[in-house]
Amino acid sequence: AQCTAEERVTLRRLSGQPLQIQVKPGDAVARLVAKAQKILQAQVTLAHEGKLLNLDEPAAELAGKEVDLVVMPPSPRAVTGCEDGSIRYWDLESFSCLGSLEGHRGAVWALDADLPSRLALSGSADTSLILWDLERLESLRSFEGHSGAVCCVSADFQRKWAVSGSDDGTLRLWSFNQRSELLSLRCRHGTAWSISASCEDQAAVSGHEGGSVQVWNFQEGHDAMPHILEGRHQGLVQVVQA
């Protein structure tokens, strides 16, 4: 049966449409908070008439009323990869480990993450890449194709796209929607140890052993050849930002 206005609580936000949540006898404010957090995918708190509501307060008393909903900023997070093959997800506010992700059979040498969307992509000495859901602490998909250790990754998590470099001497493009690569390109000067890529521009800059820095245009497809920048470094290029 359709609930009446008196059986609902209206949660007002600073922006966006208010939320209408049905309440039942015996419900506590905690249920309203849980419902709102599920809808908004964020931590929230509720206030009424200028006072914060306790989670154990009865929600039925709020039926037919408007309650202020405040979205709490998420605590800062970090994700790390280790030579033991593990990936750990950290809360930087409480200085605690939220969970450990297991799946690689070798050292984790490369990692990229979109912390607001709780996603990460790792590359390992076991030649694989794994896409992770950090919220649920589980793998979403693995990617196979390299024949050597994965040394660097750069991902666009919104466009579900990534580039990886390996000591098999290749760069490979991936779609999160399939396990096999979209494109494989041979590097001219050995292993790519660092990379910065753009899905929107279909381009990348990679750093290599021996000091080489290479610029790629993926729109050229399998015929793509890198432009090698002049002014070579005197050692391995470990970091690239473009």
Side-chain angles (χ1 to χ4, degrees), residues 45-56:
T45 188
L46 302 180
H48 183 56
E49 297 181 345
K51 180 182 118 180
L52 290 178
L53 298 176
N54 294 321
L55 294 179
D56 56 357

Side-chain angles (χ1 to χ4, degrees), residues 177-212:
N177 296 321
Q178 65 184 60
R179 295 183 187 277
S180 59
E181 73 264 14
L182 300 172
L183 185 65
S184 177
L185 299 171
R186 178 65 56 179
C187 299
R188 291 180 60 185
H189 291 281
T191 301
W193 285 92
S194 55
I195 192 163
S196 179
S198 167
C199 176
E200 183 177 3
D201 298 330
Q202 287 292 294
V205 180
S206 55
H208 298 255
E209 55 192 350
S212 172

Side-chain angles (χ1 to χ4, degrees), residues 125-203:
D126 66 9
T127 76
S128 73
L129 295 91
I130 298 180
L131 178 66
W132 303 94
D133 183 329
L134 298 175
E135 190 70 25
R136 296 176 178 169
L137 298 174
E138 63 184 18
S139 64
L140 297 175
R141 172 161 288 184
S142 62
F143 304 92
E144 308 284 344
H146 283 297
S147 59
V150 180
C151 303
C152 58
V153 296
S154 180
D156 185 327
F157 293 91
Q158 299 303 313
R159 293 181 171 89
K160 301 180 179 180
W161 179 93
V163 182
S164 60
S166 165
D167 67 4
D168 63 8
T170 67
L171 291 185
R172 297 182 190 242
L173 276 68
W174 309 88
S175 166
F176 292 171
N177 296 321
Q178 65 184 60
R179 295 183 187 277
S180 59
E181 73 264 14
L182 300 172
L183 185 65
S184 177
L185 299 171
R186 178 65 56 179
C187 299
R188 291 180 60 185
H189 291 281
T191 301
W193 285 92
S194 55
I195 192 163
S196 179
S198 167
C199 176
E200 183 177 3
D201 298 330
Q202 287 292 294

Side-chain angles (χ1 to χ4, degrees), residues 1-238:
Q2 187 175 3
C3 61
T4 66
E6 288 72 24
E7 296 173 319
R8 300 191 197 116
V9 177
T10 300
L11 306 183
R12 297 181 303 190
R13 296 188 278 168
L14 289 177
S15 62
Q17 294 295 319
L19 304 180
Q20 299 277 345
I21 297 180
Q22 184 179 5
V23 293
K24 299 176 182 177
D27 283 349
V29 169
R31 183 176 179 275
L32 294 178
V33 170
K35 284 269 193 180
Q37 290 183 161
K38 184 175 181 180
I39 294 170
L40 300 176
Q41 292 293 297
Q43 295 292 316
V44 306
T45 188
L46 302 180
H48 183 56
E49 297 181 345
K51 180 182 118 180
L52 290 178
L53 298 176
N54 294 321
L55 294 179
D56 56 357
E57 288 186 43
E61 297 178 2
L62 302 170
K65 299 178 181 178
E66 292 189 344
V67 173
D68 293 315
L69 181 151
V70 181
V71 177
M72 307 297 292
S75 58
R77 299 283 199 265
V79 59
T80 56
C82 181
E83 64 180 357
D84 65 4
S86 70
I87 294 166
R88 296 203 171 183
Y89 187 41
W90 306 89
D91 185 321
L92 301 183
E93 188 171 345
S94 63
F95 307 110
S96 62
C97 180
L98 298 174
S100 182
L101 300 162
E102 308 291 340
H104 284 301
R105 302 179 304 278
V108 177
W109 284 5
L111 186 65
D112 197 2
D114 182 0
L115 294 175
S117 64
R118 303 293 193 256
L119 293 172
L121 181 68
S122 58
S124 169
D126 66 9
T127 76
S128 73
L129 295 91
I130 298 180
L131 178 66
W132 303 94
D133 183 329
L134 298 175
E135 190 70 25
R136 296 176 178 169
L137 298 174
E138 63 184 18
S139 64
L140 297 175
R141 172 161 288 184
S142 62
F143 304 92
E144 308 284 344
H146 283 297
S147 59
V150 180
C151 303
C152 58
V153 296
S154 180
D156 185 327
F157 293 91
Q158 299 303 313
R159 293 181 171 89
K160 301 180 179 180
W161 179 93
V163 182
S164 60
S166 165
D167 67 4
D168 63 8
T170 67
L171 291 185
R172 297 182 190 242
L173 276 68
W174 309 88
S175 166
F176 292 171
N177 296 321
Q178 65 184 60
R179 295 183 187 277
S180 59
E181 73 264 14
L182 300 172
L183 185 65
S184 177
L185 299 171
R186 178 65 56 179
C187 299
R188 291 180 60 185
H189 291 281
T191 301
W193 285 92
S194 55
I195 192 163
S196 179
S198 167
C199 176
E200 183 177 3
D201 298 330
Q202 287 292 294
V205 180
S206 55
H208 298 255
E209 55 192 350
S212 172
V213 178
Q214 303 179 23
V215 181
W216 301 83
N217 180 0
F218 299 134
Q219 295 179 8
E220 297 174 358
H222 293 281
D223 297 325
M225 293 291 290
H227 178 88
I228 300 175
L229 300 183
E230 298 180 4
R232 179 187 295 263
H233 287 285
Q234 297 304 307
L236 186 151
V237 182
Q238 293 182 308

